[in-house]
Each structure stands twice: as C-alpha cells, then as structure tokens.
Amino acid sequence: MGYEKKEDYLQAVGQEIRWRPARRQLTRELSDHIADQEADFLSQGMDPQEAARRAVEEMGDPVEVGQSMNQPHRPKRCFSLPILALCASFAGLVCCGQWMDFYDNKGNQLLGLGVGLVLMGLLWLADLPAALKKLGRWVYGLVILCPLGVWTLFVLWPHHNSGVSSARFGLYLTLFFPLLFAALLLRLRGQGAWAVIAASLAAAWLAMPPIQFPNIGTAAILYGVMLFVLSAAVWNGWMGVKRRWLALPLLWTPGVLFLTAFFTSGLSTARFTYFFHPELDPTGYGYQWNTIRQTLDGLPFFFTSGALSPTQEAYLQSGLSHQSDFSLLTLTAQWGWVVMAVSLGVILLFGALALMRIRKLRSLSARLTAHAVVWTLLFQALLYWLAGFGYSPFYSMLPLPFFSYGPGFQMTDLALLGVLLSAFRMDALWQDIAPPREPFRLPPSLLLPE
C-alpha cells in the first residue's frame, strides 16, 4: 500500500474525514488500535520495524477506512427548534413593544436577546462531550459547591433588597443544575443501587436553593426535571440496576412525601387557599387571580368588534394590563382565546420536535443530556403559561413561551437551547451506544402461576 509509517497512514485516513472534531477523535482511536496491534506483534517476537509495518498494513486501505468513518460521523443539524424559539422571542418583543411599558427596558431587553443569541451560537458549536468528559471527578465537588454558592448570593442579596438583580443572577444559574445533574449521572454509570440513592439525594440538594429566593416554582421545575432524567437513566439500564420495577417507585417516593408535606404545611396553606378562593384576599394574590378569571370569563375564541364585556374593558384600562407578566392575558383579552391556544401550541410543538430528535440519538449520554435541557425549558414554559392565565398557584410568569421581559431569563433559555443543539450535533462523537428498547416485563416472582 505504500504506508509504512503510522503518521502517514493516519494523515491519509484523516483527509477523508470531513468533520474536524470527528477527525481528531477517530484518528486518535485508530492510532491507539494500531499501537495495540503493534504491541501484539512484538509479543510474538517480530522485529520492531516489521511489527510497525504489519500493524499499519492490517488496517486496510486508508481511503476506504476514512470514507467508512466519515459517513456515520457527521454533525447532525437541527434548525427547527431554534427557529421556533426565536420566532416566539421576537413575537414577544413586538407584543411587549406595542402593548406594554416595554420601551422603558428596551435597551436591556435587546442587549439580553443579543447576548443570548451569541451564547446559543457558541454553545451550539461547542464540543459538549469533551467538555463533560473533562469535568471528571470535579463533578462531585460542583454538585456540592454550586448550590452553596447560589445560596450565598440569596443570603447576601435578599430578594427584597436593592440587590435583587444579583439574587436573580443566582436564580438563573439554578436552571443549569439539571445539566450538571446529567453530568453526574454520566460519571455514575453502572454503579448500581447506591448510585441511584446518591443521585436522588443530589437531585433534592440541587433543587433546594430557589426556595431561599423564594421561588417555589423554579424549585419544583428543577426537582421534577432531575427525577425525570434519573428515571430515564434507570429505565435504560445506565445505572446498572437490574430491578428497575423496584428502583423507580423508590426513586419517586421521597419527592412525593416532600410535596405532600409542603402542600399540607402552613407555608403553602394560605397560597392555596387564596388560589381556590381569591375573594378572601382582595388586595394581594387573590386580587390578581380574581381579575384574571373575571377577564377570561365568557371571552370568545376570536375577537369580534364589541364582544368585550365591561369586565374585560375594565381590565384593559387597569394597571395589570400594562405589566409584561400579564401580556398573554392582555393579548387574550384583546384578541380572544386564540392567543392562549397558539401559545400552548408553540410550547407543545417545541416539546414534540425536541423529543422526536432525542429518540433518534444513538448515544444514551446524549439522550440524558438532551432530556435535562428539554424538560427544563418545557416545564418552565408550561408553568409560565399556566400562571399567565391564573391556573397555577405559583406566581411566576413569562410574557410568551421562551421569551422574558427581563434579559436574564432570555439569555439563560437561549444558552440552554445552545447546549441542546450541541447535544444533537455532537451525538456521533459520544462514546456509548444507547441500548435497544426492551418491553417492560414483571419479574417472575410477581407473576401468578398458570
């Protein structure tokens, strides 16, 4: 073949691999394979030069080898998700600019959107598998220290003081905790039941900081997302647990007990009382819920001239209609229930497209990472959609799906979207292959004898 030196052979193979990250990784793996083959020949007593030549020769024609590697190792492009999210973002900009007090914050909003787009692009092109691999054992320390750091921000700059922006910065950081949790699961691969217990405790620990803000909605989102990701890891055999039918109920039991204790405690009693009976709190949250429900009562699906009731007319003249948090409600009061339906459709379409792409990923590592991001964005959007129409007791809203009047959440969500796109793009370079899906079967001990 004319390739007696390993370096020349690897260079010839690399010329056929178009994608640079794949070229580096594949030629490195091929080099290791050649070195192993050479060592095997040396152990058989072969001359070193002859062993090196034979090791290269047995790899085959470099052009054919390179072409066979190039075909399955190409970057996977996904444009539907960023286009959908960006359309929602720009629609939010237009709506807030036309109907809300937007222009008081226009500079910060546009800056946040621009920075978010840059972050999304950089993370989209980043080598996510290599970045998570470099974390190594550092991930254990990050899981412990990151919540402590965010907690420190909340203590030093309480929400009600002038340091609210610094505290909110910590809240934005917590939205990356499910991604950190996915990196922890990648490190705990095949470690068995003890790793599942440790991961479930880590999920509860990572979800705690937003409660200090306080933001119960974000804490619920984080904990729910991490339980979903851990359940997916157990179900697909990633954790090395054989009795998954027993592991999954045990995994969800602490969360159910915690939620039960929370919903029955004095901390949430007043909030839920006012949610179901807003007339008991005419000057606080009850006023907002009561206003929302009265505004939506009898609203047509499409707006027609003269169809607004006196209550809806009164809402459009109230102060709430000029707040960005209530922009979905304001648009619905002006245009009808179609706004609510379209906004929910955008959220569900985003989730459907993302989950379809996740099912096509060849690597379980990429699947777990993508699940951590998708469910963070999806749960967040659904919670804000519910809150915007008074269907959630947690007062936490965004004007439109994947759009925030404040630049912080906008930058955070676009950065998370960039991580998701990187997971799709780099799927071919992850080192593990997802196992085939197996149907769930009860263990023989639980089956009745025939």
Side-chain angles (χ1 to χ4, degrees):
M1 289 187 303
Y3 291 95
E4 298 184 357
K5 293 185 178 180
K6 182 172 68 172
E7 293 75 12
D8 295 337
Y9 182 85
L10 294 176
Q11 183 177 3
V13 172
Q15 289 177 352
E16 304 299 324
I17 303 175
R18 305 305 180 193
W19 191 21
R20 184 176 298 178
R23 184 190 310 152
R24 290 196 301 266
Q25 178 174 314
L26 295 174
T27 53
R28 183 169 57 248
E29 293 176 0
L30 186 60
S31 175
D32 294 339
H33 189 59
I34 293 175
D36 293 339
Q37 189 66 44
E38 182 180 350
D40 186 50
F41 286 142
L42 290 174
S43 67
Q44 299 175 15
M46 190 177 293
D47 178 78
Q49 291 185 350
E50 178 66 14
R53 186 189 66 80
R54 285 283 305 277
V56 171
E57 184 178 307
E58 289 207 355
M59 293 299 104
D61 182 73
V63 176
E64 295 180 358
V65 172
Q67 291 176 350
S68 66
M69 289 182 171
N70 178 64
Q71 185 64 27
H73 294 89
R74 293 180 177 180
K76 303 299 189 298
R77 295 177 176 84
C78 176
F79 297 106
S80 56
L81 293 178
I83 290 175
L84 184 62
L86 291 178
C87 286
S89 296
F90 283 111
L93 283 172
V94 173
C95 292
C96 282
Q98 186 170 357
W99 286 286
M100 310 298 160
D101 297 332
F102 166 75
Y103 291 103
D104 293 339
N105 195 38
K106 182 177 67 172
N108 291 336
Q109 182 60 58
L110 294 176
L111 177 62
L113 182 59
V115 172
L117 290 174
V118 172
L119 289 175
M120 184 186 73
L122 292 176
L123 292 171
W124 190 346
L125 299 176
D127 190 346
L128 184 59
L132 293 180
K133 186 177 180 180
K134 288 180 180 179
L135 286 179
R137 295 184 177 181
W138 288 96
V139 70
Y140 301 130
L142 291 174
V143 168
I144 296 174
L145 296 177
C146 285
L148 291 176
V150 173
W151 226 318
T152 302
L153 285 177
F154 293 158
V155 172
L156 294 179
W157 293 285
H159 182 219
H160 58 274
N161 286 349
S162 58
V164 59
S165 59
S166 300
R168 281 198 175 275
F169 175 73
L171 190 64
Y172 305 147
L173 291 179
T174 63
L175 294 177
F176 291 95
F177 283 179
L179 183 61
L180 178 61
F181 182 74
L184 174 66
L185 294 185
L186 300 185
R187 185 68 185 175
L188 294 176
R189 180 181 184 180
Q191 298 299 315
W194 76 267
V196 175
I197 296 173
S200 62
L201 295 176
W205 169 247
L206 290 170
M208 290 296 290
I211 298 178
Q212 177 68 29
F213 184 72
N215 192 306
I216 305 299
T218 300
I221 290 173
L222 297 180
Y223 191 57
V225 168
M226 287 183 281
L227 283 185
F228 265 63
V229 175
L230 181 54
S231 298
V234 172
W235 183 260
N236 287 277
W238 180 265
M239 307 300 291
V241 179
K242 296 181 179 179
R243 299 182 178 180
R244 61 183 182 182
W245 59 271
L246 179 61
L248 290 178
L250 292 177
L251 178 64
W252 284 84
T253 298
V256 173
L257 293 177
F258 173 79
L259 291 177
T260 302
F262 172 77
F263 289 137
T264 57
S265 67
L267 180 64
S268 64
T269 300
R271 179 183 291 267
F272 280 89
T273 298
Y274 297 147
F275 175 70
F276 290 108
H277 302 282
E279 67 277 2
L280 299 179
D281 184 30
T283 60
Y285 288 117
Y287 161 74
Q288 296 174 357
W289 284 318
N290 194 44
T291 302
I292 292 173
R293 293 169 188 176
Q294 289 180 359
T295 302
L296 296 175
D297 185 32
L299 195 67
F301 189 78
F302 289 105
F303 171 76
T304 56
S305 179
L308 294 181
S309 68
T311 302
Q312 290 146 10
E313 292 283 6
Y315 168 75
L316 293 177
Q317 300 299 324
S318 68
L320 291 180
S321 66
H322 295 282
Q323 295 183 20
S324 62
D325 284 346
F326 294 92
S327 59
L328 270 181
L329 178 63
T330 302
L331 296 177
T332 302
Q334 291 181 335
W335 291 351
W337 283 90
V338 63
V339 174
M340 183 178 183
V342 170
S343 59
L344 180 61
V346 170
I347 297 172
L348 297 180
L349 178 60
F350 178 90
L353 291 174
L355 294 177
M356 288 172 59
R357 289 300 303 264
I358 289 177
R359 287 180 62 88
K360 296 179 180 179
L361 295 176
R362 63 186 290 272
S363 163
L364 187 55
S365 300
R367 287 185 186 179
L368 293 178
T369 304
H371 273 302
V373 178
V374 166
W375 290 109
T376 300
L377 294 172
L378 200 55
F379 283 0
Q380 181 185 212
L382 288 173
L383 178 63
Y384 293 149
W385 183 88
L386 289 171
F389 293 97
Y391 297 146
S392 170
F394 302 114
Y395 179 73
S396 185
M397 307 180 191
L398 289 181
L400 287 174
F402 315 112
F403 169 77
S404 174
Y405 181 68
F409 271 119
Q410 184 77 359
M411 289 189 292
T412 303
D413 285 348
L414 288 176
L416 286 172
L417 183 58
V419 173
L420 176 63
L421 296 174
S422 177
F424 292 150
R425 178 174 177 267
M426 306 298 293
D427 176 50
L429 297 189
W430 293 86
Q431 296 296 318
D432 63 282
I433 303 298
R437 296 179 178 271
E438 299 179 358
F440 174 73
R441 296 184 178 90
L442 289 173
S445 59
L446 295 182
L447 298 176
L448 294 175
E450 297 182 359

